[in-house]
Amino acid sequence: PDPRMKYFNAGVFVTDLAMWRRDNITDQLEYWLCRNREVQLWRWGSQPPLAIVFARTWYPISSDWNFRRGESDRFQKDSDLQERIKIIHFAGKHKPWKANGRKYWRFWCPFYPQRDKLYFCRDGGVLSRLPASPYDYSFWVRINTETFEDFL
């Protein structure tokens, strides 16, 4: 493989279905998945076979349609950017639906369709109890006067 070759992440993926059928993409992907079962070529998921099959035939899409998680601090502060972005792509291990992604909860929860099922997204949940600033000590008073069950 050429180390200068660009790589794509299939977290946000758009394809031409006529081309997919014409070029037997499903068969190609299945071939690589079977090969990987015979001899481990990669460890994780569907990303590697997609990268192999589409190695020289993919095109990048606008960052408006694949806004990277790493830019989320900029997203939270820039209202023009918030209007423009169509898809926020949480590439990497930090996800807003996991505990390790708590810094994204404030802007992710309002858009999650099943937010009432997640304790940290519900009205009156964890988000409403977070301090407004590091000097807001009322947070501790509220936590200490409530039962743990009420907090969740």
Side-chain angles (χ1 to χ4, degrees):
D2 183 348
R4 295 168 298 174
M5 222 165 93
K6 289 192 175 191
Y7 185 81
F8 76 97
N9 183 302
V12 177
F13 182 81
V14 180
T15 193
D16 174 345
L17 291 176
M19 177 276 309
W20 186 284
R21 292 178 192 106
R22 182 193 70 226
D23 294 347
N24 298 312
I25 299 299
T26 301
D27 291 344
Q28 292 182 54
L29 292 170
E30 287 175 351
Y31 167 81
W32 286 107
L33 290 167
C34 289
R35 243 348 239 134
N36 191 55
R37 287 182 79 184
E38 295 165 5
V39 177
Q40 186 178 17
L41 303 171
W42 67 85
R43 287 176 156 184
W44 303 284
S46 59
Q47 181 69 41
L50 287 166
I52 293 167
V53 171
F54 291 106
R56 289 182 167 79
T57 60
W58 67 276
Y59 301 96
I61 58 176
S62 162
S63 62
D64 291 359
W65 288 96
N66 189 11
F67 188 78
R68 296 304 190 115
R69 168 197 48 80
E71 302 175 82
S72 64
D73 292 336
R74 194 173 115 227
F75 176 80
Q76 292 182 64
K77 296 172 188 168
D78 186 340
S79 60
D80 291 336
L81 189 58
Q82 291 172 20
E83 290 295 319
R84 199 178 78 231
I85 298 304
K86 299 351 177 238
I87 298 174
I88 299 174
H89 180 183
F90 293 97
K93 65 181 178 178
H94 297 279
K95 312 287 187 192
W97 52 91
K98 294 181 177 180
N100 70 7
R102 71 176 1 116
K103 79 181 216 174
Y104 308 118
W105 290 353
R106 289 186 193 275
F107 71 93
W108 180 77
C109 284
F111 300 99
Y112 183 63
Q114 297 179 349
R115 63 186 156 275
D116 293 337
K117 294 181 180 181
L118 300 174
Y119 74 91
F120 54 84
C121 287
R122 289 193 301 253
D123 290 338
V126 172
L127 291 179
S128 67
R129 291 173 168 81
L130 292 176
S133 80
Y135 306 105
D136 178 5
Y137 297 108
S138 65
F139 174 76
W140 296 109
V141 173
R142 287 194 309 270
I143 297 303
N144 291 325
T145 58
E146 298 171 349
T147 66
F148 184 71
E149 187 176 302
D150 290 338
F151 180 67
L152 295 177

